[in-house]
């Protein structure tokens, strides 16, 4: 396999041309809706070996991402130095330990408790994204994230737990936030496609090891024909498409504002349950849905801290320093959140 390092430009943008202002929120909403659609397959896979299914899911997703990269004429970006550490963090926290936390957590707590923990992700991203970039959090975004979290909690509900359950709930919260925050420093150079590809194959390797150790080498052989469509949905819809949409959104509107849309996961799950023939949720759930929508709208009303677009600022840099065009549109948003030492620049 021949690889090379060169800027990865999203297929719908050109260097120096800013992305449409609506594309980031739209991609974030679609990505999180796909993640919420997991409710459609969770019941089918309830009796399947968890780690074996996840390992197969991410293996297939990595192969599809590689084919997409090559078919669209993009080289597979090769991480450098500390970028491997960030990518490993994304894979091990957001894709491996998150699943461990959920599986072990439901043995000590009702599923709603884990859901409430994940519902707090918007606040963590609204605070952590700017702090990672050594800037101050935007008060309006933090307030909107709190509103989204309240709405998501109303949708998810509450439940009983013990001390271990609370610990696993905290683990899922941190890991879900790590999936986004740990990717920010490498998004600039590797792009959404590169980050998704490397994080997915690293997670696949780790999950194969977990499956062999905890479920045994014969776990894959226990999968039945009805498990295949569900696994394909996880691999293609919830991983390949959702990951690309999500990381593209994070690059365009920043992790804080993108994090507001994580509140759509329980909303999509609730709506999906109804579409699949489940009972219609009560008024509290619909109130929660409305609160999530209000929080997202409030958070998106405030534009980026700088009024100038990333493309305009890159143009200034090119004129003053003779630098080459930026790797992707929307760079200004990433610069607001990523510190210089952690954000390699093409030379």
């Amino acid at each position: 396999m021949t690889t090379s390092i060169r800027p990865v430009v999203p297929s719908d943008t050109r260097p120096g041309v800013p992305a449409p202002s609506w594309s980031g929120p739209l991609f974030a909403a679609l990505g999180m809706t796909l993640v919420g659609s997991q409710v459609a397959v969770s019941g089918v896979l309830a009796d399947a070996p968890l780690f074996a299914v996840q390992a197969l899911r991410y293996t297939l997703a990595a192969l599809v991402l590689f084919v997409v990269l090559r078919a669209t004429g993009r080289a597979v970006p090769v991480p450098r130095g500390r970028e491997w550490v960030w990518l490993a963090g994304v894979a091990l926290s957001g894709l491996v330990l998150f699943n461990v936390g959920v599986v072990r957590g439901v043995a000590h707590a009702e599923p709603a408790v884990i859901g409430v923990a994940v519902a707090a992700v918007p606040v963590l991203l609204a605070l952590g994204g700017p702090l990672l970039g050594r800037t101050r959090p935007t008060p309006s975004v933090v307030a909107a994230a709190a509103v989204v979290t309240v709405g998501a909690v109303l949708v998810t509900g509450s439940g009983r737990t013990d001390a271990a359950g609370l610990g696993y709930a905290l683990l899922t919260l941190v890991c879900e936030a790590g999936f986004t925050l740990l990717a920010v420093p490498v998004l600039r150079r590797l792009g959404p496609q590169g980050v998704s590809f490397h994080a997915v194959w690293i997670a696949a390797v780790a999950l194969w090891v977990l499956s062999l150790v905890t479920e045994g080498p014969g776990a894959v052989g226990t999968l039945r024909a009805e498990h295949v469509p569900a696994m394909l949905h996880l691999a293609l819809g919830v991983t390949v498409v959702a990951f690309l949409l999500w990381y593209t959104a994070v690059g365009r509107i920043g992790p804080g504002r993108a994090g507001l849309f994580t509140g759509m996961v329980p909303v999509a799950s609730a709506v999906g349950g109804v579409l699949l023939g489940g009972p219609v949720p009560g008024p509290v759930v619909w109130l929660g849905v409305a609160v999530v929508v209000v929080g997202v709208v409030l958070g998106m009303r405030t534009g980026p801290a700088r009024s100038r677009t990333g493309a305009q600022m890159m143009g200034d840099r090119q004129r003053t320093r003779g630098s080459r065009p930026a790797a992707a549109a929307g760079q200004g948003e990433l610069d607001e959140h990523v510190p210089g030492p952690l954000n390699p620049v093409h030379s």
Side-chain angles (χ1 to χ4, degrees):
M1 178 178 72
T2 301
T3 59
S4 62
I5 301 175
R6 64 184 176 91
V8 179
V9 183
S11 58
D12 59 345
T13 61
R14 298 186 304 277
V17 179
S21 59
W22 49 264
S23 62
L26 176 62
F27 289 171
L30 290 176
M32 288 300 100
T33 299
L34 283 171
V35 171
S37 71
Q38 291 184 87
V39 68
V41 302
S42 58
V44 178
L45 295 171
D47 60 344
L50 173 73
F51 295 129
V53 167
Q54 296 298 325
L56 283 171
R57 163 193 179 180
Y58 290 126
T59 299
L60 177 59
L63 292 173
V64 171
L65 284 167
F66 178 79
V67 171
V68 169
L69 279 168
R70 301 304 292 173
T72 54
R74 294 180 175 87
V76 179
V78 178
R80 305 171 184 163
R82 70 176 67 184
E83 291 176 343
W84 284 109
V85 177
W86 294 109
L87 290 168
V90 172
L92 297 180
S93 65
L95 305 184
V96 178
L97 286 178
F98 177 82
N99 281 301
V100 172
V102 170
V103 172
R104 297 291 180 260
V106 295
H108 296 269
E110 294 181 2
V113 175
I114 307 299
V116 168
V118 175
V121 168
V123 174
L124 204 56
L125 293 182
L127 294 171
L131 293 177
L132 181 65
R134 300 172 188 173
T135 62
R136 293 181 179 180
T138 305
S140 60
V141 175
V142 175
V147 173
V148 170
T149 294
V150 170
V153 169
L154 289 174
V155 174
T156 305
S158 60
R160 293 170 294 180
T161 183
D162 57 20
L166 289 175
Y168 283 119
L170 179 61
L171 176 65
T172 59
L173 168 62
V174 173
C175 289
E176 180 69 4
F179 174 72
T180 298
L181 295 178
L182 296 178
V184 171
V186 292
L187 266 175
R188 179 178 186 178
R189 196 181 72 82
L190 300 180
Q193 298 89 347
V195 171
S196 298
F197 171 71
H198 289 295
V200 164
W201 75 254
I202 292 172
V205 172
L207 285 162
W208 278 121
V209 173
L210 272 176
S211 177
L212 290 173
V213 171
T214 63
E215 299 169 340
V220 175
T222 64
L223 297 176
R224 300 190 303 275
E226 57 265 30
H227 293 147
V228 175
M231 189 181 64
L232 288 175
H233 175 71
L234 290 177
L236 302 179
V238 182
T239 303
V240 174
V241 178
F243 282 24
L244 292 177
L245 288 171
W246 178 248
Y247 283 136
T248 301
V250 170
R252 293 181 180 178
I253 61 178
R257 287 179 176 81
L260 298 173
F261 291 88
T262 60
M264 294 191 64
V265 173
V267 173
S269 298
V271 174
V274 175
L275 295 177
L276 290 173
V280 177
V284 174
V285 172
W286 295 116
L287 173 63
V289 171
V291 172
V292 168
V293 172
V294 169
V296 171
V297 171
L298 289 175
M300 297 307 298
R301 283 171 62 90
T302 303
R306 294 179 295 183
S307 60
R308 294 173 61 78
T309 65
Q312 289 172 327
M313 299 192 69
M314 284 298 157
D316 293 342
R317 294 176 187 175
Q318 293 166 26
R319 288 190 293 271
T320 57
R321 299 188 305 188
S323 62
R324 280 191 267 176
Q331 188 61 58
E333 288 85 344
L334 270 181
D335 287 345
E336 293 179 3
H337 303 278
V338 186
L342 302 182
N343 194 1
V345 180
H346 305 302
S347 59

